[in-house]
Amino acid sequence: MRVVGIDTGGTFTDLVLAEGGTLKTKKVPSTPRDPAEALLTGLRLLCEEDGGAALFTLTHGSTVATNSLLERKGATVALITTAGFEDVLLIGRQQRPSLYDLNVEKPAPLIRRENIFGVRERILHDGTVESRPDEREIQEIAQRIMANRCDSIAVCFLHAYRNFENEEFVERRLENLKIPICSSHRVLPEYREYERISTTSVNAFVAPKMDVYIRHIEENISTSSRLRIMQSNGGAISASRARAEAVQTILSGPAAGVVGAFEAARAAGFDKVITFDMGGTSTDVSLCDKRISTRTSSNISGVPIATPVVDIHTVGAGGGSIAWLDSAGSLRVGPKSAGAEPGPVCYGVGSELTVTDANLFLGRMAAERFLGGEMSLDLDRVQYHMLKFSNDLGMSAEQAAEGVLAVANATMERAIRVISVERGHDPRHFTLIAFGGAGPMHACSLACALGIPQIIIPHNAGVLSALGLLMADVKKDLSQTVLIRAEQVDIPRLNQLFAPLEKEAQEIMAGEGFAPNQFRLDGFLDMRYAGQAYEVTVPVAEDFVAIFHQEHFRLYGHSDASRAVELVNIRLTASGIVEPPPFIRGEETDIIAEAAFLGDRQAVFASGVSATPVYDRAELRPGNQLAGPAIVAEAHATTVITPGFTARMDVLGNILIKPAVSA
């Protein structure tokens, strides 16, 4: 079966085509003004190389919803909510993440105040309808929505998770406006009105742009193709559902990277890994302790979103991150990126130095091998701009370039500490799996700083996020607030509570093309001690209360079996099982082929200038061993093995790197 994964990044768009045991890859510059342009161009080139046959399944990791939210370039949204709650988005939780920052600015709500309308209706906490919306009031609001030229509508009433009659009433009365409507009971049927209003508003904000984008792709691909979109939860979803539930795709691309990295590491025999995805504009890290970590909420650009997401921490440090001097004359790197347009200085257009330029200047990249020789890098331009930049810093050009890398590495090191040390995990007990176009160049430095004993540079590291799209199951998360004491719940009662969600999940999976024996259902419970404000999620089991106590103790160091426990939300994950491309095993040999050695180059490391051998990864074989310093070039990434490290190719084509003393 032919499948294609396409991941859109800030600098490059990555494509992988798999059929049987063969993989074909392509990397093309992204087109920020129209991301679909790069996708379709790359797809056309990939298909031409493969004979132009029709595609069966295309899974896409999109940045459209993410960028719409970050840049505040989504739809003009009208919010209809319960009268008296019109300012919930502005009030928020009154949390101050920068408590002592006198210059902090609170992000403005996505919806302008003049587009927020209160309706005199009320549903009580138990679902009782106390008052229904007045039809004349709804018609007056409809006229104001049209006068304000709103593109979409979000409807979110108090306690609609218990009873959504009033939301459906408003939906029916506004259908004739021919404007997309998002109701909270469909987007997030959970309590906590602020998070529910925020998540519903985000969906209404990004959905129209996502709809246009998806339709544009569908109109330009084969009618025999099936298009799926990657979600933030690590699973794919049909294009039609992604249009209606665009909020589920906010962290689409990074989630695919974690899926691909974890599966590649597990195939190589490692299940405790830290994933390190360094692309052109940012670095994404995630800790996987025998499973992919997820959480039920996130905060993107100051906007809370209460949907399941892969637990990823992102920092503005990528290959295209720009080096600059602050007002005090100190060297800074990022978060601003050169992106694909104009790109790093070495691409021939930009004039602001980036991390990629620093690596090239220090001899850590084979300029002639970039993108498999399809794109040339201009070292002369880099040298010219680096000399100017170093004069501003008052140091040598080599010191300036090393400083750029040191600052970028420090930012990425802090990111890894956030997901490991700050959460009670010792990075020395994990393996670092580095990928993305720039990740393998910085892996040794980060492993050394954090004491990580081993590094994996997976096969096809430069396009691993696109490959991860082919490994992702089709997934749908459903939830429902129940708010009930645990002692009132047994397994039969749980089965009764889950029944409506299971029915909905079965219908969704059937619509995705899966037979009953081709998907699985996994249940989870959000639980807390009575009086607590937030929950711990545990799997459904006969002894779910005991499991909650154990998990609470693991997370917080204490538990109390004598205290009353509440069951807050039930969650159901439906997973349609997708057969991933197989990992091909090779025969081991100690002999490095002559074709693998591309010559020596002068490269600068902390120990000084070294004559550094350059190898062609495509010609290296399982069992081949290398000693740092060494550079391994491949079509879409470069691996730098620094002095003091050794590397070995495993049977799956991964590069395993260790400190020389423990090799």
Side-chain angles (χ1 to χ4, degrees):
M1 179 178 180
R2 295 163 54 87
V3 289
V4 172
I6 305 181
D7 175 53
T8 298
T11 305
F12 288 100
T13 294
D14 303 336
L15 303 93
V16 174
L17 184 150
E19 184 173 17
T22 63
L23 287 178
K24 297 184 184 299
T25 64
K26 178 68 67 174
K27 187 183 282 276
V28 298
S30 293
T31 49
R33 286 169 292 184
D34 181 8
E37 183 182 329
L39 180 150
L40 295 171
T41 298
L43 189 59
R44 184 174 61 255
L45 293 172
L46 195 65
C47 290
E48 286 174 357
E49 293 176 2
D50 198 57
L55 304 171
F56 287 92
T57 302
L58 189 162
T59 305
H60 177 34
S62 169
T63 58
V64 170
T66 313
N67 292 339
S68 297
L69 183 57
L70 293 176
E71 298 170 5
R72 295 296 200 272
K73 292 182 179 178
T76 300
V77 180
L79 171 63
I80 300 175
T81 188
T82 304
F85 290 81
E86 295 91 341
D87 293 312
V88 165
L89 284 180
L90 182 62
I91 296 170
R93 289 289 176 195
Q94 301 188 36
Q95 295 172 334
R96 296 175 60 187
S98 301
L99 189 60
Y100 301 106
D101 187 351
L102 299 179
N103 298 314
V104 68
E105 293 186 12
K106 184 177 181 180
L110 294 178
I111 304 175
R112 296 197 298 270
R113 184 60 180 84
E114 62 266 26
N115 290 333
I116 301 178
F117 309 101
V119 173
R120 291 187 297 274
E121 67 82 40
R122 182 54 60 92
I123 299 233
L124 303 183
H125 69 93
D126 61 358
T128 302
V129 180
E130 187 172 86
S131 59
R132 302 183 186 279
D134 181 75
E135 190 155 346
R136 286 176 299 179
E137 185 178 23
I138 300 302
Q139 293 308 314
E140 291 174 2
I141 290 174
Q143 293 174 8
R144 293 169 64 187
I145 289 173
M146 297 304 293
N148 292 357
R149 299 187 176 183
C150 296
D151 303 311
S152 65
I153 301 170
V155 182
C156 189
F157 289 149
L158 196 66
H159 302 308
Y161 60 88
R162 281 291 200 193
N163 185 336
F164 47 81
E165 286 182 28
N166 287 355
E167 287 193 351
E168 284 195 329
F169 176 85
V170 172
E171 280 182 338
R172 292 193 296 271
R173 295 303 182 273
L174 297 180
E175 283 177 347
N176 62 334
L177 298 182
K178 306 301 181 183
I179 296 176
I181 302 173
C182 301
S183 291
S184 72
H185 72 276
R186 302 183 194 277
V187 176
L188 186 72
E190 299 178 19
Y191 96 129
R192 292 195 177 96
E193 69 278 3
Y194 172 51
E195 286 76 10
R196 186 156 47 89
I197 289 178
S198 177
T199 304
T200 306
S201 298
V202 170
N203 195 68
F205 186 75
V206 302
K209 199 165 187 177
M210 193 70 172
D211 178 59
V212 172
Y213 177 72
I214 290 175
R215 289 186 188 280
H216 179 44
I217 295 174
E218 288 181 322
E219 290 168 359
N220 287 275
I221 62 175
S222 167
T223 55
S224 63
S225 298
R226 177 195 289 270
L227 176 63
R228 289 180 175 141
I229 306 296
M230 187 67 175
Q231 301 175 96
S232 308
N233 63 3
I237 198 170
S238 67
S240 59
R241 191 165 290 276
R243 290 193 191 98
E245 302 173 9
V247 69
Q248 303 284 356
T249 70
I250 293 294
L251 292 176
S252 176
V258 176
V259 171
F262 182 68
E263 292 301 329
R266 188 161 61 174
F270 304 93
D271 59 5
K272 290 171 68 71
V273 296
I274 294 172
T275 69
F276 167 48
D277 178 7
M278 184 179 180
T281 58
S282 63
T283 290
D284 303 306
V285 295
S286 182
L287 185 142
C288 302
D289 190 355
K290 299 183 179 180
R291 62 180 179 84
I292 294 175
S293 300
T294 59
R295 60 180 188 270
T296 56
S297 64
S298 58
N299 190 298
I300 309 297
S301 190
V303 180
I305 301 173
T307 58
V309 298
V310 174
D311 192 2
I312 297 169
H313 183 62
T314 302
V315 291
S321 293
I322 294 171
W324 54 285
L325 302 181
D326 64 18
S327 57
S330 298
L331 174 60
R332 307 285 293 275
V333 178
K336 185 180 178 182
S337 172
E341 299 174 356
V345 168
C346 61
Y347 288 9
V349 179
S351 59
E352 294 181 292
L353 288 166
T354 67
V355 174
T356 295
D357 296 315
N359 275 307
L360 180 62
F361 181 84
L362 295 173
R364 301 185 187 185
M365 296 177 64
E368 68 282 359
R369 308 284 298 184
F370 192 69
L371 294 188
E374 293 181 6
M375 180 177 177
S376 60
L377 301 181
D378 193 335
L379 178 57
D380 290 338
R381 291 188 80 247
V382 173
Q383 290 173 335
Y384 172 77
H385 285 279
M386 188 65 74
L387 284 170
K388 288 180 59 179
F389 190 68
S390 65
N391 287 334
D392 294 337
L393 279 170
M395 59 180 63
S396 70
E398 287 78 10
Q399 289 173 325
E402 288 185 289
V404 171
L405 299 187
V407 172
N409 286 339
T411 300
M412 295 183 289
E413 179 190 339
R414 286 194 298 271
I416 293 177
R417 290 187 183 277
V418 167
I419 62 164
S420 58
V421 177
E422 292 185 14
R423 299 181 185 176
H425 297 282
D426 188 341
R428 294 174 297 182
H429 299 158
F430 289 79
T431 296
L432 184 70
I433 178 164
F435 57 103
M441 285 191 287
H442 295 257
C444 288
S445 297
L446 292 177
C448 185
L450 293 159
I452 297 175
Q454 183 154 269
I455 302 164
I456 304 174
I457 311 297
H459 188 53
N460 290 312
V463 293
L464 191 67
S465 291
L467 186 58
L469 293 166
L470 306 185
M471 300 177 180
D473 292 334
V474 174
K475 189 177 292 187
K476 175 60 181 173
D477 288 302
L478 302 170
S479 63
Q480 179 66 58
T481 292
V482 292
L483 288 172
I484 188 171
R485 287 293 180 95
E487 63 264 22
Q488 300 174 350
V489 179
D490 53 16
I491 293 300
R493 176 62 172 149
L494 276 181
N495 292 337
Q496 185 181 17
L497 292 172
F498 272 99
L501 298 186
E502 290 176 354
K503 181 180 179 181
E504 183 179 356
Q506 289 163 357
E507 292 173 353
I508 291 171
M509 287 294 106
E512 294 282 358
F514 292 93
N517 64 338
Q518 294 176 319
F519 66 88
R520 70 173 188 273
L521 302 178
D522 298 305
F524 301 91
L525 310 172
D526 289 351
M527 303 177 67
R528 67 187 182 190
Y529 290 115
Q532 286 185 322
Y534 292 95
E535 299 80 49
V536 172
T537 302
V538 301
V540 172
E542 190 80 37
D543 54 345
F544 63 90
V545 175
I547 293 174
F548 163 73
H549 291 308
Q550 294 168 5
E551 184 66 5
H552 195 282
F553 184 86
R554 187 188 71 81
L555 291 171
Y556 304 112
H558 66 91
S559 62
D560 187 352
S562 65
R563 286 191 61 178
V565 175
E566 290 180 327
L567 174 57
V568 179
N569 301 310
I570 58 172
R571 300 185 181 277
L572 186 70
T573 298
S575 302
I577 309 304
V578 172
E579 184 177 351
F583 292 97
I584 307 300
R585 304 176 72 87
E587 295 293 329
E588 292 193 271
T589 177
D590 294 333
I591 302 171
I592 298 177
E594 284 187 24
F597 180 62
L598 301 176
D600 289 325
R601 68 186 308 113
Q602 296 297 108
V604 180
F605 297 98
S607 57
V609 181
S610 301
T612 304
V614 181
Y615 297 92
D616 182 353
R617 183 166 182 174
E619 298 295 336
L620 292 174
R621 296 292 176 260
N624 288 176
Q625 299 190 47
L626 310 174
I631 295 171
V632 181
E634 58 183 297
H636 307 308
T638 299
T639 300
V640 175
I641 304 164
T642 60
F645 282 83
T646 61
R648 179 179 180 277
M649 299 291 294
D650 75 358
V651 294
L652 298 177
N654 304 306
I655 304 175
L656 305 183
I657 306 174
K658 292 182 178 181
V661 292
S662 61

